[in-house]
Amino acid sequence: MSDLQERAHALDTADALAPLRKLFTLDDTVYLDGNSLGALPRHVPARVQEVLTREWGELRIRSWDESGWWTAPERIGDRIAPLVGAAAGQIVVGDSTSVNVFKAVVAATRLAPEGRDEILVDASTFPTDGYIATSAARMTGHRIVPVAPADVPGALGPRTAAVLLNHVDYRSGRVHDLPGLTAAVHAAGAVVVWDLCHSAGALPVGLDEHGVDLAVGCTYKYLNGGPGSPAYLYVAARHQEAFDSPLPGWTSHADPFAMTPGYTPADGAVRGRVGTPDILSMLALEASLDVWDGVGIDAVRAKSLALTDFFLECVAAYAPEGRVTSVTPAAHGERGSQVALRCEDAEAVMAALIARGVVGDLRRPDVLRFGFTPLYVGFADAERAARVLADVLTASAAPAA
């Protein structure tokens, strides 16, 4: 074995989180796309089968009460809460990230002081956040102001009502300054909404500690909830009484089964609910969260940084000079749990990697993206991925015979 292979073996042997890998359905593939879709926890199919055959098949409508279906959105929200630094009673699960972004942005403008007409949006945001925020702005009579996260403090002013930001940039993996930017938004008298899709389950967030107002996130990446698993909405306890959802569905009513024509919002995070919960995917998510029992987010963060450090070291050692360049920050405080490499022929390179058993993904036109999920990715995976990448880059640069 090479020195790097020997180091990978030693690091895996010493890794306290390594035993968690056996909780997932994995094969010999190096799976580095958990930042798009997390791996399947082994016990989830049996739980879903139980929901199908007993709770739906036998109990049928009784399961809304007897199987706890009705309270699942809040119950599962309380299980996600520790992973993002929130106390219980502030997170409700349901709908997609996009729908929750809409709820949060509109609600933020309603929480903001009167007379403010601007919504600042992360200029590099994931497209759907921008689309939704722009539509929300049109509906509420606000103006959208795209701005780079680092430039937010200078762009804030007396017209700023709300600010929508991503904690981790989905292309580069850069971590934005959640504590500092939240404080700056509050100092300007505005309300902040954070998108946690690429940070929840990968690094500490500290929603309560840093006084975040509203936050949204998906559950199918680092939380391993399954394809299309429901997203979540965080409403800080101090805002819940005034939280005014633009989608006041019947399940967020104070007395949903009264079926009254007038809307009276429920207390607490329940106000973030809309329609009937998507029970099958929601209970699959609930089962998936079992893999987090006894796992501390600080330990996950430490392994994430060690994995990405090691991968970058291996790439530097193996890859032909000048073929790839990291666009992920080297500083630990600025790095999420992924490595993004700029590569001239990225699409062909990623296709070749996947064919050789290393699965990452592509962000066009030229970014290879590798996500490191500490619960099941090991150091040997990182070394092998870098070695195969180097082989692919070398082969693609060789002149045709």
Side-chain angles (χ1 to χ4, degrees), residues 77-78 80-91 205-209 234:
D78 284 347
I80 292 172
L83 300 177
V84 292
Q90 299 177 99
I91 293 179
V205 177
L207 293 178
D208 288 351
E209 177 186 358
Y234 164 88

Side-chain angles (χ1 to χ4, degrees), residues 8 76 80 104 107 130 193 198 200 228 259 265 273 284 289 307 318 325:
I76 301 171
I80 292 172
V193 179
H198 285 272
M259 303 297 175
R273 291 176 63 154
L289 292 171
L307 278 169
Y318 291 154
T325 304

Side-chain angles (χ1 to χ4, degrees), residues 105-189:
V105 170
V106 174
T109 66
R110 294 173 176 178
L111 287 169
E114 291 188 13
R116 295 177 176 239
D117 62 355
E118 290 184 349
I119 301 172
L120 271 58
V121 177
D122 181 346
S124 59
T125 190
F126 188 75
T128 195
D129 285 21
Y131 304 157
I132 294 291
T134 299
S135 179
R138 289 201 310 270
M139 294 174 64
T140 59
H142 288 71
R143 184 171 74 97
I144 283 288
V145 181
V147 59
D151 296 334
V152 164
L156 293 164
R159 297 178 62 181
T160 307
V163 182
L164 172 62
L165 295 167
N166 288 266
H167 192 194
V168 176
D169 184 275
Y170 77 100
R171 286 190 186 90
S172 68
R174 176 179 292 277
V175 176
H176 297 304
D177 181 9
L178 183 147
L181 290 172
T182 298
V185 172
H186 289 168

Side-chain angles (χ1 to χ4, degrees), residues 50 80 88 120 126 129 168 185 280 300 311 328 373 387:
E50 179 186 29
I80 292 172
L120 271 58
F126 188 75
D129 285 21
V168 176
V185 172
L280 298 182
V300 170
F311 177 69
T328 298
T373 306
R387 183 159 33 89

